[in-house]
Amino acid sequence: MSNQTLVIGAGIAGIVTALELLERGQAVLMLDRGDESSLGGQAMQAFGGMALVDTPLQRRAGIRDSAQIALNDWLSFAQFGPEDLWPRRWAEHYVDRCVPDVYEWLRGHGLRFIPSVQWVERGWMRPGNSLPRYHVLWGTSQRMTRTLLAALRPYLSNGLLQWRLRHRVTSLTHKGSAITGCAGIDEARETPFEIEAAQVVVASGGVTGDLDRVRQHWPRAWGAPPTELLNGSHPSADGAMHDEISRLGGQVTHLDQMWNYAAGVKHPTPQFEGHGLSLIPTKSSLWLDPDGQRIGPVPFVTGFDTREMVAHISRHQWTHTWQVLNRRIALKELAASGAEHNPLIRDQRKLALAWQMLRGNPQLVDDLLTQCEDFIQAPTLPELVRKMNALVGDQRLSASVLDAQIQPYDAQIARGPRFHNDDQLRRIAQLRLWTGDRMRTCKAQRILDADAGPLIAIRCRLLTRKSTGGIQTDLDSRVLDAQGRPMTGLYAVGEASGFGGGGSNGKGSLEGTFLSGCILTSKAAARHIGAGVAPRRVSA
């Protein structure tokens, strides 16, 4: 058997695992089912936000965070049960180690974070992030991924690293209870292959790219699975390796735990059927059900509890919802997730970004209005409603119903802050107390303000994103069997492992725990492998 580690998957978890092993002098063979353009996987498109605890950036902003405060917030959202031993241990590991193993490690690779720490997932019906701790990579996740890929390439020259692309793994091979490698199809040559290795690291991602599988594992408490779903992951995230590990006796847990979004729209430049884009919704829009009624009794306001919003929509079996706003709100507040729709952050254009924060983002708004069919604008409410009905293909909405939702809200704003007795206005006022939100949130903006038009409606659908359940692992990222014992020679990292332990986030994430979770689980695997495998000497 070759004294090398086989890494299945060249997304960010696979890249970090390989790099950490290579820096320890270990030989690595990486496999990926895509070609070279797909190296990095979803991390090449991601925004690059990470939940980090007690960083220098937090302290500089007057935020006094700690591992204990963060763990309390985490446990509130996670709602772990008594059986969730390894998920909880991974949560504790995350809050303890995210600064040295993520923040400082990335800085060691020359990467930096935007100084303004954001405050997301504050909690709606239960406490969430009690402090701002969402750190955004300067250059987005795309810059991080390219930086780490560049760090790998010298090892290709000296022979310590090999990668084989367009190799689809179909099974793991074993001798007795020990995993010894894998087999699959070389799709470039249309021939089978089999590879032996000292140990195998599964970094193949989650299951949320398979919409049928998402529906199969949809939380039962949320009612029937939605008929309308957009894919915010990728069809290759199909859970094939989860099935293979389960077949061999490994534990796969909590596949009903996934991180989906309530504000998905059709991707303007889709890469596959059903490809969706996740909006960062405006806080000052009114969020309506398919009949045009304002969602309540507590109105939807983004930034508090993404999971509960998804659950609410699912319980009501709504195929879609609407956000109604105007251009002034859209310019200041609308954003979309990912590197593609945040070019100033991606390309590190500091002055242009500062100007955009002051004047708004007309390019994004106009691009979505012209390229995405889920965006509609009109000068009047009756005309807007007519276009909304035309998009859906029925006459379900009426201008009088929408007007009845909007007028009381606008009237409260007109009376002045002393008379704001609407929960959305109270939340907006609280959001604006934090600088990072104040710059991106209107003070109190009427919807039917003639000077703020035209009116805009956005049709939103549920969008899949991350699997937060997965292959169960210990704190060394070793895959565990049904008796809780490590399977010899087998590791799982990143989303494949539910970001650690088969579900470290529990039922709900504090957001920003995914890229950083990939790094933490990958470094844990590499530490354990590196401690037990003698380095292979390779001449330059």
Side-chain angles (χ1 to χ4, degrees), residues 196-228:
E196 286 193 343
Q199 50 274 316
V200 176
V201 181
V202 174
S204 55
V207 305
T208 51
D210 182 341
L211 299 188
D212 288 337
R213 188 158 190 155
V214 169
R215 294 184 178 98
Q216 176 189 349
H217 293 288
W218 197 254
R220 293 183 179 180
W222 295 1
T227 57
E228 292 280 340

PDB file of all heavy atoms in Angstrom, residues 196-228:
ATOM      1  N   GLU A 196      -4.906   2.682  -4.055  1.00  0.00           N
ATOM      2  CA  GLU A 196      -4.637   2.313  -2.673  1.00  0.00           C
ATOM      3  C   GLU A 196      -4.016   3.495  -1.941  1.00  0.00           C
ATOM      4  O   GLU A 196      -3.335   4.331  -2.543  1.00  0.00           O
ATOM      5  CB  GLU A 196      -3.699   1.114  -2.597  1.00  0.00           C
ATOM      6  CG  GLU A 196      -4.345  -0.199  -2.972  1.00  0.00           C
ATOM      7  CD  GLU A 196      -3.485  -1.375  -2.572  1.00  0.00           C
ATOM      8  OE1 GLU A 196      -2.283  -1.172  -2.312  1.00  0.00           O
ATOM      9  OE2 GLU A 196      -4.010  -2.503  -2.495  1.00  0.00           O
ATOM     10  N   ALA A 197      -4.247   3.567  -0.647  1.00  0.00           N
ATOM     11  CA  ALA A 197      -3.686   4.647   0.157  1.00  0.00           C
ATOM     12  C   ALA A 197      -3.572   4.209   1.605  1.00  0.00           C
ATOM     13  O   ALA A 197      -4.259   3.285   2.050  1.00  0.00           O
ATOM     14  CB  ALA A 197      -4.565   5.893   0.056  1.00  0.00           C
ATOM     15  N   ALA A 198      -2.698   4.891   2.336  1.00  0.00           N
ATOM     16  CA  ALA A 198      -2.545   4.593   3.756  1.00  0.00           C
ATOM     17  C   ALA A 198      -3.777   5.030   4.538  1.00  0.00           C
ATOM     18  O   ALA A 198      -4.155   4.397   5.532  1.00  0.00           O
ATOM     19  CB  ALA A 198      -1.294   5.282   4.303  1.00  0.00           C
ATOM     20  N   GLN A 199      -4.400   6.124   4.097  1.00  0.00           N
ATOM     21  CA  GLN A 199      -5.646   6.595   4.695  1.00  0.00           C
ATOM     22  C   GLN A 199      -6.404   7.420   3.672  1.00  0.00           C
ATOM     23  O   GLN A 199      -5.820   7.951   2.719  1.00  0.00           O
ATOM     24  CB  GLN A 199      -5.435   7.396   5.979  1.00  0.00           C
ATOM     25  CG  GLN A 199      -4.432   8.500   5.883  1.00  0.00           C
ATOM     26  CD  GLN A 199      -3.026   8.009   6.150  1.00  0.00           C
ATOM     27  OE1 GLN A 199      -2.785   7.239   7.080  1.00  0.00           O
ATOM     28  NE2 GLN A 199      -2.073   8.442   5.329  1.00  0.00           N
ATOM     29  N   VAL A 200      -7.707   7.517   3.880  1.00  0.00           N
ATOM     30  CA  VAL A 200      -8.605   8.210   2.952  1.00  0.00           C
ATOM     31  C   VAL A 200      -9.324   9.316   3.712  1.00  0.00           C
ATOM     32  O   VAL A 200      -9.876   9.085   4.798  1.00  0.00           O
ATOM     33  CB  VAL A 200      -9.636   7.233   2.345  1.00  0.00           C
ATOM     34  CG1 VAL A 200     -10.623   7.979   1.450  1.00  0.00           C
ATOM     35  CG2 VAL A 200      -8.934   6.127   1.556  1.00  0.00           C
ATOM     36  N   VAL A 201      -9.315  10.519   3.124  1.00  0.00           N
ATOM     37  CA  VAL A 201     -10.054  11.649   3.687  1.00  0.00           C
ATOM     38  C   VAL A 201     -11.182  12.006   2.726  1.00  0.00           C
ATOM     39  O   VAL A 201     -10.932  12.349   1.572  1.00  0.00           O
ATOM     40  CB  VAL A 201      -9.145  12.869   3.906  1.00  0.00           C
ATOM     41  CG1 VAL A 201      -9.946  14.025   4.507  1.00  0.00           C
ATOM     42  CG2 VAL A 201      -7.965  12.520   4.797  1.00  0.00           C
ATOM     43  N   VAL A 202     -12.402  11.907   3.209  1.00  0.00           N
ATOM     44  CA  VAL A 202     -13.564  12.234   2.385  1.00  0.00           C
ATOM     45  C   VAL A 202     -13.885  13.713   2.574  1.00  0.00           C
ATOM     46  O   VAL A 202     -14.225  14.160   3.671  1.00  0.00           O
ATOM     47  CB  VAL A 202     -14.772  11.354   2.767  1.00  0.00           C
ATOM     48  CG1 VAL A 202     -16.019  11.798   2.006  1.00  0.00           C
ATOM     49  CG2 VAL A 202     -14.453   9.890   2.480  1.00  0.00           C
ATOM     50  N   ALA A 203     -13.772  14.468   1.477  1.00  0.00           N
ATOM     51  CA  ALA A 203     -14.049  15.907   1.485  1.00  0.00           C
ATOM     52  C   ALA A 203     -14.982  16.232   0.319  1.00  0.00           C
ATOM     53  O   ALA A 203     -14.761  17.177  -0.431  1.00  0.00           O
ATOM     54  CB  ALA A 203     -12.752  16.698   1.374  1.00  0.00           C
ATOM     55  N   SER A 204     -16.015  15.421   0.191  1.00  0.00           N
ATOM     56  CA  SER A 204     -16.860  15.432  -1.010  1.00  0.00           C
ATOM     57  C   SER A 204     -18.086  16.325  -0.902  1.00  0.00           C
ATOM     58  O   SER A 204     -18.927  16.334  -1.797  1.00  0.00           O
ATOM     59  CB  SER A 204     -17.298  13.996  -1.317  1.00  0.00           C
ATOM     60  OG  SER A 204     -17.934  13.421  -0.179  1.00  0.00           O
ATOM     61  N   GLY A 205     -18.211  17.096   0.186  1.00  0.00           N
ATOM     62  CA  GLY A 205     -19.356  18.002   0.304  1.00  0.00           C
ATOM     63  C   GLY A 205     -20.584  17.324   0.880  1.00  0.00           C
ATOM     64  O   GLY A 205     -20.512  16.214   1.432  1.00  0.00           O
ATOM     65  N   GLY A 206     -21.712  18.019   0.761  1.00  0.00           N
ATOM     66  CA  GLY A 206     -22.931  17.574   1.413  1.00  0.00           C
ATOM     67  C   GLY A 206     -23.925  16.928   0.475  1.00  0.00           C
ATOM     68  O   GLY A 206     -23.547  16.310  -0.535  1.00  0.00           O
ATOM     69  N   VAL A 207     -25.214  17.087   0.785  1.00  0.00           N
ATOM     70  CA  VAL A 207     -26.276  16.413   0.032  1.00  0.00           C
ATOM     71  C   VAL A 207     -27.274  17.399  -0.572  1.00  0.00           C
ATOM     72  O   VAL A 207     -28.199  16.986  -1.274  1.00  0.00           O
ATOM     73  CB  VAL A 207     -27.043  15.408   0.928  1.00  0.00           C
ATOM     74  CG1 VAL A 207     -26.087  14.424   1.576  1.00  0.00           C
ATOM     75  CG2 VAL A 207     -27.888  16.108   1.987  1.00  0.00           C
ATOM     76  N   THR A 208     -27.116  18.704  -0.326  1.00  0.00           N
ATOM     77  CA  THR A 208     -28.186  19.641  -0.688  1.00  0.00           C
ATOM     78  C   THR A 208     -28.217  20.008  -2.166  1.00  0.00           C
ATOM     79  O   THR A 208     -29.050  20.802  -2.587  1.00  0.00           O
ATOM     80  CB  THR A 208     -28.073  20.929   0.144  1.00  0.00           C
ATOM     81  OG1 THR A 208     -26.745  21.448   0.059  1.00  0.00           O
ATOM     82  CG2 THR A 208     -28.430  20.664   1.596  1.00  0.00           C
ATOM     83  N   GLY A 209     -27.304  19.434  -2.971  1.00  0.00           N
ATOM     84  CA  GLY A 209     -27.409  19.614  -4.411  1.00  0.00           C
ATOM     85  C   GLY A 209     -28.396  18.681  -5.055  1.00  0.00           C
ATOM     86  O   GLY A 209     -28.763  18.863  -6.225  1.00  0.00           O
ATOM     87  N   ASP A 210     -28.851  17.678  -4.323  1.00  0.00           N
ATOM     88  CA  ASP A 210     -29.851  16.715  -4.809  1.00  0.00           C
ATOM     89  C   ASP A 210     -31.192  17.102  -4.194  1.00  0.00           C
ATOM     90  O   ASP A 210     -31.463  16.786  -3.032  1.00  0.00           O
ATOM     91  CB  ASP A 210     -29.430  15.300  -4.398  1.00  0.00           C
ATOM     92  CG  ASP A 210     -30.383  14.228  -4.912  1.00  0.00           C
ATOM     93  OD1 ASP A 210     -31.533  14.556  -5.262  1.00  0.00           O
ATOM     94  OD2 ASP A 210     -29.969  13.053  -4.948  1.00  0.00           O
ATOM     95  N   LEU A 211     -32.039  17.768  -4.958  1.00  0.00           N
ATOM     96  CA  LEU A 211     -33.283  18.305  -4.402  1.00  0.00           C
ATOM     97  C   LEU A 211     -34.232  17.194  -3.963  1.00  0.00           C
ATOM     98  O   LEU A 211     -34.990  17.374  -3.004  1.00  0.00           O
ATOM     99  CB  LEU A 211     -33.956  19.228  -5.413  1.00  0.00           C
ATOM    100  CG  LEU A 211     -33.150  20.465  -5.828  1.00  0.00           C
ATOM    101  CD1 LEU A 211     -34.008  21.400  -6.679  1.00  0.00           C
ATOM    102  CD2 LEU A 211     -32.585  21.201  -4.627  1.00  0.00           C
ATOM    103  N   ASP A 212     -34.210  16.056  -4.637  1.00  0.00           N
ATOM    104  CA  ASP A 212     -35.056  14.935  -4.193  1.00  0.00           C
ATOM    105  C   ASP A 212     -34.598  14.451  -2.824  1.00  0.00           C
ATOM    106  O   ASP A 212     -35.418  14.107  -1.960  1.00  0.00           O
ATOM    107  CB  ASP A 212     -34.994  13.784  -5.196  1.00  0.00           C
ATOM    108  CG  ASP A 212     -35.732  14.106  -6.494  1.00  0.00           C
ATOM    109  OD1 ASP A 212     -36.632  14.980  -6.459  1.00  0.00           O
ATOM    110  OD2 ASP A 212     -35.405  13.504  -7.535  1.00  0.00           O
ATOM    111  N   ARG A 213     -33.295  14.439  -2.624  1.00  0.00           N
ATOM    112  CA  ARG A 213     -32.765  13.999  -1.334  1.00  0.00           C
ATOM    113  C   ARG A 213     -33.077  15.028  -0.247  1.00  0.00           C
ATOM    114  O   ARG A 213     -33.359  14.674   0.896  1.00  0.00           O
ATOM    115  CB  ARG A 213     -31.259  13.780  -1.438  1.00  0.00           C
ATOM    116  CG  ARG A 213     -30.669  13.139  -0.217  1.00  0.00           C
ATOM    117  CD  ARG A 213     -29.363  12.469  -0.544  1.00  0.00           C
ATOM    118  NE  ARG A 213     -28.918  11.652   0.563  1.00  0.00           N
ATOM    119  CZ  ARG A 213     -28.118  10.618   0.439  1.00  0.00           C
ATOM    120  NH1 ARG A 213     -27.695  10.243  -0.761  1.00  0.00           N
ATOM    121  NH2 ARG A 213     -27.733   9.925   1.491  1.00  0.00           N
ATOM    122  N   VAL A 214     -33.017  16.291  -0.580  1.00  0.00           N
ATOM    123  CA  VAL A 214     -33.404  17.332   0.375  1.00  0.00           C
ATOM    124  C   VAL A 214     -34.840  17.119   0.821  1.00  0.00           C
ATOM    125  O   VAL A 214     -35.159  17.176   2.021  1.00  0.00           O
ATOM    126  CB  VAL A 214     -33.229  18.733  -0.252  1.00  0.00           C
ATOM    127  CG1 VAL A 214     -33.881  19.802   0.621  1.00  0.00           C
ATOM    128  CG2 VAL A 214     -31.747  19.042  -0.448  1.00  0.00           C
ATOM    129  N   ARG A 215     -35.719  16.842  -0.124  1.00  0.00           N
ATOM    130  CA  ARG A 215     -37.128  16.603   0.223  1.00  0.00           C
ATOM    131  C   ARG A 215     -37.277  15.342   1.066  1.00  0.00           C
ATOM    132  O   ARG A 215     -38.100  15.288   1.985  1.00  0.00           O
ATOM    133  CB  ARG A 215     -37.971  16.508  -1.052  1.00  0.00           C
ATOM    134  CG  ARG A 215     -38.054  17.818  -1.834  1.00  0.00           C
ATOM    135  CD  ARG A 215     -38.985  17.695  -3.030  1.00  0.00           C
ATOM    136  NE  ARG A 215     -39.082  18.959  -3.742  1.00  0.00           N
ATOM    137  CZ  ARG A 215     -38.387  19.258  -4.845  1.00  0.00           C
ATOM    138  NH1 ARG A 215     -37.540  18.362  -5.372  1.00  0.00           N
ATOM    139  NH2 ARG A 215     -38.530  20.433  -5.421  1.00  0.00           N
ATOM    140  N   GLN A 216     -36.484  14.323   0.755  1.00  0.00           N
ATOM    141  CA  GLN A 216     -36.542  13.074   1.521  1.00  0.00           C
ATOM    142  C   GLN A 216     -36.233  13.309   2.993  1.00  0.00           C
ATOM    143  O   GLN A 216     -36.839  12.693   3.873  1.00  0.00           O
ATOM    144  CB  GLN A 216     -35.551  12.076   0.926  1.00  0.00           C
ATOM    145  CG  GLN A 216     -35.441  10.763   1.696  1.00  0.00           C
ATOM    146  CD  GLN A 216     -34.294   9.898   1.186  1.00  0.00           C
ATOM    147  OE1 GLN A 216     -33.704  10.172   0.126  1.00  0.00           O
ATOM    148  NE2 GLN A 216     -33.946   8.870   1.936  1.00  0.00           N
ATOM    149  N   HIS A 217     -35.295  14.212   3.272  1.00  0.00           N
ATOM    150  CA  HIS A 217     -34.861  14.450   4.652  1.00  0.00           C
ATOM    151  C   HIS A 217     -35.431  15.749   5.225  1.00  0.00           C
ATOM    152  O   HIS A 217     -34.943  16.204   6.265  1.00  0.00           O
ATOM    153  CB  HIS A 217     -33.328  14.486   4.698  1.00  0.00           C
ATOM    154  CG  HIS A 217     -32.680  13.163   4.389  1.00  0.00           C
ATOM    155  ND1 HIS A 217     -32.714  12.104   5.266  1.00  0.00           N
ATOM    156  CD2 HIS A 217     -32.022  12.727   3.284  1.00  0.00           C
ATOM    157  CE1 HIS A 217     -32.087  11.072   4.735  1.00  0.00           C
ATOM    158  NE2 HIS A 217     -31.654  11.431   3.531  1.00  0.00           N
ATOM    159  N   TRP A 218     -36.423  16.325   4.572  1.00  0.00           N
ATOM    160  CA  TRP A 218     -37.006  17.570   5.053  1.00  0.00           C
ATOM    161  C   TRP A 218     -37.534  17.385   6.485  1.00  0.00           C
ATOM    162  O   TRP A 218     -38.162  16.368   6.789  1.00  0.00           O
ATOM    163  CB  TRP A 218     -38.137  18.004   4.135  1.00  0.00           C
ATOM    164  CG  TRP A 218     -38.534  19.437   4.284  1.00  0.00           C
ATOM    165  CD1 TRP A 218     -39.650  19.927   4.883  1.00  0.00           C
ATOM    166  CD2 TRP A 218     -37.803  20.576   3.806  1.00  0.00           C
ATOM    167  NE1 TRP A 218     -39.682  21.298   4.810  1.00  0.00           N
ATOM    168  CE2 TRP A 218     -38.555  21.725   4.157  1.00  0.00           C
ATOM    169  CE3 TRP A 218     -36.603  20.740   3.124  1.00  0.00           C
ATOM    170  CZ2 TRP A 218     -38.124  23.014   3.842  1.00  0.00           C
ATOM    171  CZ3 TRP A 218     -36.181  22.013   2.807  1.00  0.00           C
ATOM    172  CH2 TRP A 218     -36.936  23.134   3.169  1.00  0.00           C
ATOM    173  N   PRO A 219     -37.270  18.328   7.394  1.00  0.00           N
ATOM    174  CA  PRO A 219     -37.731  18.159   8.784  1.00  0.00           C
ATOM    175  C   PRO A 219     -39.232  17.900   8.878  1.00  0.00           C
ATOM    176  O   PRO A 219     -40.045  18.672   8.338  1.00  0.00           O
ATOM    177  CB  PRO A 219     -37.356  19.495   9.429  1.00  0.00           C
ATOM    178  CG  PRO A 219     -36.204  19.992   8.621  1.00  0.00           C
ATOM    179  CD  PRO A 219     -36.488  19.566   7.214  1.00  0.00           C
ATOM    180  N   ARG A 220     -39.606  16.835   9.523  1.00  0.00           N
ATOM    181  CA  ARG A 220     -41.024  16.448   9.590  1.00  0.00           C
ATOM    182  C   ARG A 220     -41.879  17.491  10.288  1.00  0.00           C
ATOM    183  O   ARG A 220     -43.051  17.673   9.960  1.00  0.00           O
ATOM    184  CB  ARG A 220     -41.151  15.104  10.303  1.00  0.00           C
ATOM    185  CG  ARG A 220     -40.558  13.944   9.518  1.00  0.00           C
ATOM    186  CD  ARG A 220     -40.785  12.624  10.237  1.00  0.00           C
ATOM    187  NE  ARG A 220     -40.230  11.501   9.486  1.00  0.00           N
ATOM    188  CZ  ARG A 220     -40.284  10.240   9.891  1.00  0.00           C
ATOM    189  NH1 ARG A 220     -40.862   9.938  11.044  1.00  0.00           N
ATOM    190  NH2 ARG A 220     -39.756   9.279   9.150  1.00  0.00           N
ATOM    191  N   ALA A 221     -41.287  18.182  11.266  1.00  0.00           N
ATOM    192  CA  ALA A 221     -42.057  19.195  12.000  1.00  0.00           C
ATOM    193  C   ALA A 221     -42.448  20.374  11.123  1.00  0.00           C
ATOM    194  O   ALA A 221     -43.290  21.186  11.523  1.00  0.00           O
ATOM    195  CB  ALA A 221     -41.238  19.698  13.194  1.00  0.00           C
ATOM    196  N   TRP A 222     -41.848  20.483   9.946  1.00  0.00           N
ATOM    197  CA  TRP A 222     -42.143  21.601   9.051  1.00  0.00           C
ATOM    198  C   TRP A 222     -43.217  21.266   8.028  1.00  0.00           C
ATOM    199  O   TRP A 222     -43.488  22.066   7.130  1.00  0.00           O
ATOM    200  CB  TRP A 222     -40.876  22.026   8.311  1.00  0.00           C
ATOM    201  CG  TRP A 222     -39.813  22.589   9.202  1.00  0.00           C
ATOM    202  CD1 TRP A 222     -39.853  22.734  10.557  1.00  0.00           C
ATOM    203  CD2 TRP A 222     -38.533  23.061   8.791  1.00  0.00           C
ATOM    204  NE1 TRP A 222     -38.680  23.278  11.025  1.00  0.00           N
ATOM    205  CE2 TRP A 222     -37.854  23.493   9.965  1.00  0.00           C
ATOM    206  CE3 TRP A 222     -37.885  23.177   7.568  1.00  0.00           C
ATOM    207  CZ2 TRP A 222     -36.565  24.017   9.931  1.00  0.00           C
ATOM    208  CZ3 TRP A 222     -36.610  23.700   7.535  1.00  0.00           C
ATOM    209  CH2 TRP A 222     -35.961  24.124   8.706  1.00  0.00           C
ATOM    210  N   GLY A 223     -43.817  20.103   8.121  1.00  0.00           N
ATOM    211  CA  GLY A 223     -44.846  19.723   7.166  1.00  0.00           C
ATOM    212  C   GLY A 223     -44.264  19.048   5.940  1.00  0.00           C
ATOM    213  O   GLY A 223     -43.101  18.619   5.925  1.00  0.00           O
ATOM    214  N   ALA A 224     -45.079  18.948   4.900  1.00  0.00           N
ATOM    215  CA  ALA A 224     -44.658  18.288   3.667  1.00  0.00           C
ATOM    216  C   ALA A 224     -43.488  19.034   3.028  1.00  0.00           C
ATOM    217  O   ALA A 224     -43.414  20.260   3.110  1.00  0.00           O
ATOM    218  CB  ALA A 224     -45.824  18.205   2.689  1.00  0.00           C
ATOM    219  N   PRO A 225     -42.581  18.311   2.374  1.00  0.00           N
ATOM    220  CA  PRO A 225     -41.459  18.979   1.702  1.00  0.00           C
ATOM    221  C   PRO A 225     -41.961  19.943   0.633  1.00  0.00           C
ATOM    222  O   PRO A 225     -42.987  19.702  -0.013  1.00  0.00           O
ATOM    223  CB  PRO A 225     -40.673  17.823   1.073  1.00  0.00           C
ATOM    224  CG  PRO A 225     -41.114  16.606   1.808  1.00  0.00           C
ATOM    225  CD  PRO A 225     -42.526  16.850   2.227  1.00  0.00           C
ATOM    226  N   PRO A 226     -41.259  21.038   0.412  1.00  0.00           N
ATOM    227  CA  PRO A 226     -41.716  22.018  -0.581  1.00  0.00           C
ATOM    228  C   PRO A 226     -41.618  21.483  -2.000  1.00  0.00           C
ATOM    229  O   PRO A 226     -40.650  20.809  -2.363  1.00  0.00           O
ATOM    230  CB  PRO A 226     -40.760  23.204  -0.366  1.00  0.00           C
ATOM    231  CG  PRO A 226     -39.574  22.629   0.315  1.00  0.00           C
ATOM    232  CD  PRO A 226     -40.046  21.469   1.114  1.00  0.00           C
ATOM    233  N   THR A 227     -42.631  21.792  -2.789  1.00  0.00           N
ATOM    234  CA  THR A 227     -42.590  21.418  -4.203  1.00  0.00           C
ATOM    235  C   THR A 227     -41.679  22.347  -4.987  1.00  0.00           C
ATOM    236  O   THR A 227     -41.095  21.950  -5.991  1.00  0.00           O
ATOM    237  CB  THR A 227     -44.003  21.449  -4.804  1.00  0.00           C
ATOM    238  OG1 THR A 227     -44.561  22.765  -4.611  1.00  0.00           O
ATOM    239  CG2 THR A 227     -44.910  20.428  -4.132  1.00  0.00           C
ATOM    240  N   GLU A 228     -41.578  23.599  -4.533  1.00  0.00           N
ATOM    241  CA  GLU A 228     -40.739  24.593  -5.203  1.00  0.00           C
ATOM    242  C   GLU A 228     -39.447  24.786  -4.394  1.00  0.00           C
ATOM    243  O   GLU A 228     -39.483  25.230  -3.256  1.00  0.00           O
ATOM    244  CB  GLU A 228     -41.467  25.926  -5.317  1.00  0.00           C
ATOM    245  CG  GLU A 228     -42.655  25.905  -6.257  1.00  0.00           C
ATOM    246  CD  GLU A 228     -42.226  26.032  -7.721  1.00  0.00           C
ATOM    247  OE1 GLU A 228     -41.101  26.513  -7.970  1.00  0.00           O
ATOM    248  OE2 GLU A 228     -43.012  25.644  -8.594  1.00  0.00           O
TER     249      GLU A 228
END
